[in-house]
Each structure stands twice: as structure tokens, then as C-alpha cells.
């Protein structure tokens, strides 16, 4: 009887193991079969302000804008105006949250996020002097002037269909069974470098951890240049289809798509390089282990995953992310991560996230990502938008036996 080899998942977990990574690299290098050419049409080097690292970006770019007294007065006036309308939070917009003086500066920030260095921090939202609902109005209002379209992060809330546009990033391991937590966002664990869905990620800090939890950003364009110079075979690997798990989707348990997308320059747009992935969709995490019923990733893909993380970590900047800060990042050109952290009764790290899009500055969405982007942005209606005031585990991060609100 013939023995058939069954493809198995490589020895790789959500948390990168540096020793295993180095051993895998050495095995591949010794094989002598690595392709030394880039995929056709891919550049040997990207040249842009979007290429930066921790040795130079602080000298080139001041990424923090501290709200002035005049800014804060204007924000308070906009809050009063919105509340006078008696509308739900889904109706927060540039028109209902007017910022006539601050608007032009926020539009400049959108340009920087899309076309310059890819990120910006606004410092000083008055989180301690406002109710949570009012601070969410302020947060959404300011964000609407940078990127006016809010994306869907969950399609149900409290057992009913809804466009949930705000998500809490907070440790829930003390109140939820570990088997119900399928994403590190709801733990104190380190989050490795990854991207979310959508164009722009906004994170507001409601509270800092007692220790740790440093927020980190890294240029995927800088990582690409390093790979193009030293390991073009991994560029080829990243540009080939990967089996990405769709946690909880019984009809389509996984999709095959590349992690890396290159768009050549046109008459109307410069070249674009997009790396879009979440490591847990290839390794699983805690309450959502990777299914054995879907194709495993390859050894080359396992090496590429670790290489993305360790190069991103090598070139990353750490943001001095304080309570009341809002971090905006171009999800198409930047990886983000956070260190593990420790909470106390008085200090519990708590962020709230928006997924945003600015039609004026938006990059073209690669065709293979169009369905994923539609799940975020298509048909999100003002009257269906939900801003949960308290943390919960969203459906896509819910382990077996869990039930979303």
C-alpha cells in the first residue's frame, strides 16, 4: 500500500519564536533552491516618505500634534452643537460636528497619513472631564475631518443586526473564559506586528496600563526594501496565495489570497505597496486555534511570517502613547503592534478603535481585497451605527461557545 504524505502545519505559533525562526532561515538558505529574482514588475527599491525607520523618522517628521486651548474650545462648541441636534452617534460627521478653524489642519493630517509618513498622533482629548458617550462623540467628530467614512467592525450587537463601528481594545481575560477569547486584543499578551482591515486605523487611549503596553509602528515599505535587497524569494512567497482562515465562517472557512500587493505607478497615482495580513489567521490564537480542516501554510510561508515580524520589530518606532491621545495610522503602509502589559485595579489599559476611509485621499483597493473591504465599508448606514460604551468580544474574535452581544 502506498503511503501518502499529508501536509502538516509548520511548527509555528502566534508568538514568534526567534530560535525557531533562525533555524528555519538556515534550513532554507542551505537548500540552495531559493529564487534570487523578484516577481515580474516588482521594484528593487521603493522611494518615498513612507519608507522610514527608527534611525531617521524622528528627525524627519514631528508626528505628535498637541491640541491647543483654542482647539479645545472649538471642540467643545462642536460637541454642544451635535448634542443639540438630538441625533444618535452614527450621525457624527464634518457637518454635524463643525470645526471651522481646525478642519484644514485635520485635512493636512489626512494627507500626511496617506501620502507622507503614514501616521499622526493627536494629543490631549479631554477624556477625564467628559462622559464616555461625549468623548466618543468628540473622537468620532475629530476623526470625521480626517477620514469621514467609518467602517464596520462587527455586524451584530446585543443579538441584533448592527453596524458596530467602534471596538474596545481591553483585557477581558478576568471576566471571560480563555476559550472565548480568540484575539490578543482582549488579553494582556503581546500583539505581534500585523495590519487590520480597512484604510486608516484610529486608536484613542482612554487609560494606560500600569506598566508595559507600548504601542509600536513600523513601515512595511522599509521592510519590503530590506526583503527585496536580501531575500527576494520571500517577496515571491508573500505575493503568492495563502490560505487565510475566516474564523467562524462555516460557508467559507478560508480564503486564498496574497499578503503582498504591488500597484505600478499610473498617470494619476504613484506606485503603491500594500502588505495586508493578521498572523492569527495563519497560526490561530487561544480560543480560536487554526482549523485542521483547511490547508496548512508552507515552511516558506512560516519563514515569511516570522521575517515580517522580526524586521518590523527591528525598524519600529515606539510611540509615547498617553491617555487622551489618538493615533491614526495608514493600515496599507504600516504594521502595528504592542508590548505585553500589566494592569492594576486603578490602571487598566483601554483603547477604542475606529476603521476609517477618506475618499479624497484613499488608495485604490486591490481587487483581491475588495470583498474584505466591502465587509468593512459597504452599506454602513448612519441609523444602524453602534458605538458600544462598554467592552465586549466582537464576533470575529469569539472562540467556541462564546456569544457576542
Amino acid at each position: 500500500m502506498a503511503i501518502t504524505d499529508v501536509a502538516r502545519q509548520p511548527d509555528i505559533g502566534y508568538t514568534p519564536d526567534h530560535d525557531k525562526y533562525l533555524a528555519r532561515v538556515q534550513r532554507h538558505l542551505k537548500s540552495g533552491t531559493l529564487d534570487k529574482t523578484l516577481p515580474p514588475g516588482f521594484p528593487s527599491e521603493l522611494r518615498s516618505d513612507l519608507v522610514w525607520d527608527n534611525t531617521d523618522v524622528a528627525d524627519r517628521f514631528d508626528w505628535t500634534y498637541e491640541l491647543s486651548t483654542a482647539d479645545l474650545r472649538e471642540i467643545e462648541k462642536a460637541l454642544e452643537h451635535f448634542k443639540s441636534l438630538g441625533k444618535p452617534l452614527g450621525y457624527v460627521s464634518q457637518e454635524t460636528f463643525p470645526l471651522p478653524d481646525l478642519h484644514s489642519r485635520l485635512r493636512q493630517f489626512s494627507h500626511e497619513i496617506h501620502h507622507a509618513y503614514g501616521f499622526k498622533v493627536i494629543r490631549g482629548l479631554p477624556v477625564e472631564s467628559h462622559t464616555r458617550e461625549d468623548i466618543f462623540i468628540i473622537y468620532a467628530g475629530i476623526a470625521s475631518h480626517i477620514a469621514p467614512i467609518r467602517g464596520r467592525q462587527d455586524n451584530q450587537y446585543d443579538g441584533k443586526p448592527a453596524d458596530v463601528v467602534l471596538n474596545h481594545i481591553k483585557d477581558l481575560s478576568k471576566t471571560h473564559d480563555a476559550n472565548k477569547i480568540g484575539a490578543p486584543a482582549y488579553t494582556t499578551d503581546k500583539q505581534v506586528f500585523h495590519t487590520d482591515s480597512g484604510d486608516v486605523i484610529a486608536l484613542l487611549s482612554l487609560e494606560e496600563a500600569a506598566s508595559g503596553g507600548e504601542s509600536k509602528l513600523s513601515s512595511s515599505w522599509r521592510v519590503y526594501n530590506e526583503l527585496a535587497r536580501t531575500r527576494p524569494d520571500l517577496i515571491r512567497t508573500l505575493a503568492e496565495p495563502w490560505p487565510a482562515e475566516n474564523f467562524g465562517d462555516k460557508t467559507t472557512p478560508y480564503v486564498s489570497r496574497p499578503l503582498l500587493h504591488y500597484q505600478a505607478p499610473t498617470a494619476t497615482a504613484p506606485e503603491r505597496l500594500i502588505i495586508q495580513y493578521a498572523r492569527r489567521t495563519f497560526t490561530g490564537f487561544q480560543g480560536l486555534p487554526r482549523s485542521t480542516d483547511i490547508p496548512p501554510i508552507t515552511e516558506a510561508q512560516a519563514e515569511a511570517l516570522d521575517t515580517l515580524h522580526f524586521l518590523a520589530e527591528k525598524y519600529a518606532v515606539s510611540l509615547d502613547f498617553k491617555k487622551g491621545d489618538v493615533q491614526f495610522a495608514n493600515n496599507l503602509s504600516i504594521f502595528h503592534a504592542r508590548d505585553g502589559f500589566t494592569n492594576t485595579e486603578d490602571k487598566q489599559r483601554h483603547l477604542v478603535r475606529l476603521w476609517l476611509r477618506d475618499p479624497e485621499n484613499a488608495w485604490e483597493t486591490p481587487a483581491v481585497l475588495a470583498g474584505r473591504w466591502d465587509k468593512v465599508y459597504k452599506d454602513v448606514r448612519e441609523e444602524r451605527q453602534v458605538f458600544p460604551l462598554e467592552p465586549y468580544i466582537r464576533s470575529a474574535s469569539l472562540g467556541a461557545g462564546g456569544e457576542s452581544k
Side-chain angles (χ1 to χ4, degrees), residues 28-259:
H28 287 174
L29 292 177
K30 287 179 180 178
S31 71
T33 59
L34 302 183
D35 198 318
K36 293 182 172 57
T37 63
L38 291 166
F42 278 57
S44 59
E45 183 180 15
L46 297 165
R47 295 178 180 273
S48 167
D49 282 340
L50 290 165
V51 179
W52 50 261
D53 62 40
N54 49 25
T55 67
D56 66 356
V57 70
D59 294 330
R60 295 162 57 191
F61 176 51
D62 182 4
W63 60 75
T64 302
Y65 175 75
E66 188 154 0
L67 292 167
S68 68
T69 302
D71 293 334
L72 291 169
R73 280 199 299 266
E74 187 173 31
I75 288 167
E76 292 295 337
K77 187 175 180 181
L79 173 63
E80 290 176 13
H81 175 75
F82 179 79
K83 291 174 71 174
S84 74
L85 301 176
K87 292 178 177 290
L89 270 71
Y91 288 86
V92 173
S93 68
Q94 293 181 19
E95 291 72 32
T96 62
F97 195 90
L99 297 171
D101 295 329
L102 193 53
H103 173 80
S104 60
R105 188 182 296 276
L106 297 177
R107 296 306 299 148
Q108 177 59 35
F109 294 167
S110 181
H111 181 85
E112 292 176 2
I113 291 162
H114 288 86
H115 306 297
Y117 296 91
F119 66 105
K120 196 73 179 181
V121 175
I122 294 177
R123 174 157 291 166
L125 262 68
V127 295
E128 292 188 323
S129 58
H130 288 71
T131 66
R132 184 163 290 179
E133 182 171 347
D134 281 1
I135 201 64
F136 286 178
I137 293 170
I138 292 172
Y139 176 32
I142 290 173
S144 72
H145 290 263
I146 291 177
I149 297 175
R150 288 185 289 273
R152 179 190 296 110
Q153 300 187 53
D154 205 346
N155 55 19
Q156 60 175 308
Y157 183 73
D158 204 16
K160 301 175 184 177
D163 293 333
V164 182
V165 296
L166 180 142
N167 184 43
H168 295 254
I169 310 298
K170 188 179 182 184
D171 174 36
L172 299 180
S173 61
K174 297 288 194 299
T175 56
H176 291 69
D177 185 337
N179 291 324
K180 296 180 182 179
I181 298 177
Y186 306 108
T187 72
T188 61
D189 293 1
K190 175 178 181 174
Q191 276 190 291
V192 302
F193 283 96
H194 65 287
T195 65
D196 288 358
S197 294
D199 291 3
V200 176
I201 306 164
L203 290 167
L204 163 64
S205 174
L206 294 179
E207 183 58 84
E208 302 163 46
S211 63
E214 187 71 25
S215 177
K216 296 180 178 180
L217 301 180
S218 192
S219 164
S220 61
W221 287 40
R222 177 66 179 89
V223 170
Y224 174 90
N225 281 353
E226 181 77 2
L227 290 176
R229 183 177 65 83
T230 63
R231 291 294 303 275
D233 60 295
L234 292 183
I235 297 290
R236 286 183 169 271
T237 297
L238 291 166
E240 295 169 352
W242 291 48
E245 183 155 7
N246 281 335
F247 292 113
D249 190 332
K250 295 180 180 179
T251 58
T252 310
Y254 74 98
V255 294
S256 293
R257 59 177 178 81
L259 273 60

